[in-house]
Amino acid sequence: MDNRLKIAIQTKGRLNDDSMKLIQEAGIYLEMGRRTLVASAKNFAMDALFLRDDDIPQTVADNVSDIGIVGENEMMEKQENVQIVKRLGFSKCRLSLAIPKGQDYNGLEFFNGKKIATSYPVILKKFLLESNIQADIHVISGSVEIAPGIGLADAIFDIVSSGSTLVSNRLKEVEVVMKSEAVLIANPNLSPEKQEILDEFIFRMESVQRAIGKKYILLNVPNDKVNEIIALLPGMKAPTLVPLAKEGWSSMHSVIDENDFWVVIRKLKKAGAEGILVVPIEKMIF
Ligand code: PRP
Ligand code: ZN
């Protein structure tokens, strides 16, 4: 039995960069050759398979890969037997209906009798059925946004992220059907050995994610102001206090939310804090 966890990752495209970053931040170093379809980690029991995002759900369901990083939209569309083990918070987008900019839109009835081009027929069909709309679904695998312009369809149903693809094709978004983000999916029947590797991977990812937006703060405070200053720092649990060589002063250390910091900085100084240092945090483990 091969006890390495196989992870399917998008070869290129919107998910690739963040997926690679996630693995790297978890301290897993993939040995990448040029144009490789498979990469192995030397320091972790994991191998990566590089695939088209559309193929990832099936690859995981069929046990060719154990886990995968894919857009929730792609997972919903493919209806494969996989489970979401973690929502990843990147590659956020929505699946929307869009129509030519110049057309009037007064609600979903617009789509009755219309032809809609999409790469997501399953999700669209379900939505139209639930909304009681009779439209003709025209499946195309790429460049959906050009379909109305060349007379192939009256509308499109596609991924919208920044919205710039719609703008450059003179389309307007009229209905958001679902919101999506990258998700970590897994085969529902992993062996205990593989489950253990997956748990370790998740543990590492969470340690990195917890640190996002968090800063380590060090400040010098007069001893008689310690309580006042602690009260100014929201969410500050049991800060570390270290006496300074300078009589009557201490160095206070803690973790704060970066946003909170900008709100309280002036108050901290007014309360007598000096020498404030804010440093990045790489990982947080509880
Ligand atoms: C999607 C979609 C649009 C574009 C929208 O394609 O088909 O072309 O992104 O993004 P925007 O609102 O930021 O312009 P994607 O790049 O994901 O490629 P794919 O559909 O071929 O996987
Ligand atoms: Zn795709």
Side-chain angles (χ1 to χ4, degrees):
M1 253 305 262
D2 178 15
N3 279 326
R4 293 178 67 80
L5 190 73
K6 292 200 241 9
I7 182 168
I9 297 166
Q10 189 188 31
T11 316
K12 56 175 166 36
R14 66 180 65 235
L15 286 162
N16 177 272
D17 288 354
D18 285 325
S19 303
M20 295 304 283
K21 202 170 129 219
L22 193 77
I23 291 170
Q24 198 192 353
E25 283 173 343
I28 300 166
Y29 298 107
L30 294 171
E31 300 267 320
M32 303 285 297
R34 257 186 300 160
R35 297 174 59 83
T36 45
L37 299 179
V38 185
S40 266
K42 274 230 171 87
N43 64 349
F44 195 72
M46 182 182 274
D47 297 327
L49 311 177
F50 295 95
L51 299 166
R52 275 175 48 119
D53 63 341
D54 315 48
D55 295 332
I56 292 175
Q58 193 189 357
T59 308
V60 172
D62 291 353
N63 254 318
V64 175
S65 183
D66 303 300
I67 62 173
I69 297 175
V70 74
E72 204 179 349
N73 54 304
E74 211 54 72
M75 190 203 85
M76 297 288 278
E77 178 64 25
K78 296 300 188 288
Q79 310 260 303
E80 295 282 351
N81 184 22
V82 295
Q83 63 190 40
I84 294 184
V85 288
K86 192 167 169 49
R87 311 185 71 82
L88 298 173
F90 57 81
S91 286
K92 289 200 173 156
C93 64
R94 45 200 191 269
L95 268 179
S96 295
L97 283 159
I99 65 171
K101 227 173 105 193
Q103 302 243 344
D104 289 333
Y105 184 75
N106 310 310
L108 276 177
E109 301 74 44
F110 172 92
F111 295 100
N112 265 322
K114 295 276 180 12
K115 195 169 183 182
I116 309 170
T118 189
S119 310
Y120 299 93
V122 173
I123 297 171
L124 178 59
K125 197 175 168 189
K126 183 164 173 274
F127 174 76
L128 293 176
L129 202 71
E130 283 167 3
S131 313
N132 217 354
I133 300 291
Q134 261 87 47
D136 181 12
I137 300 176
H138 186 80
V139 183
I140 35 184
S141 58
S143 306
V144 169
E145 60 277 0
I146 65 167
I150 58 171
L152 207 61
D154 306 301
I156 66 162
F157 175 62
D158 199 15
I159 295 173
V160 181
S161 175
S162 64
S164 61
T165 302
L166 293 185
V167 171
S168 49
N169 289 281
R170 310 180 128 271
L171 298 168
K172 62 178 176 191
E173 185 178 10
V174 293
E175 300 283 344
V176 176
V177 172
M178 82 170 266
K179 292 204 170 147
S180 173
E181 65 183 277
V183 290
L184 182 67
I185 56 170
N187 182 287
N189 304 304
L190 291 184
S191 68
E193 291 80 5
K194 288 189 172 182
Q195 185 63 47
E196 205 174 301
I197 305 168
L198 174 57
D199 290 344
E200 171 65 19
F201 180 46
I202 292 171
F203 169 76
R204 292 184 184 195
M205 281 191 295
E206 285 175 350
S207 304
V208 174
Q209 284 180 333
R210 217 173 273 134
I212 293 172
K214 295 282 194 296
K215 301 284 172 185
Y216 196 74
I217 183 170
L218 302 96
L219 55 170
N220 294 340
V221 299
N223 287 344
D224 59 340
K225 293 293 173 70
V226 165
N227 289 334
E228 189 184 329
I229 288 174
I230 288 176
L232 284 176
L233 289 168
M236 191 184 213
K237 276 188 282 179
T240 307
L241 272 183
V242 186
L244 286 182
K246 194 169 153 193
E247 181 94 29
W249 284 75
S250 298
S251 168
M252 190 186 282
H253 301 193
S254 192
V255 172
I256 61 162
D257 207 280
E258 194 176 15
N259 298 323
D260 294 338
F261 172 76
W262 290 111
V263 175
V264 297
I265 175 77
R266 260 166 243 292
K267 291 182 193 162
L268 287 175
K269 290 185 71 174
K270 225 173 143 196
E274 288 179 8
I276 303 170
L277 271 184
V278 178
V279 293
I281 298 173
E282 216 174 80
K283 298 177 182 76
M284 277 175 74
I285 293 142
F286 297 139

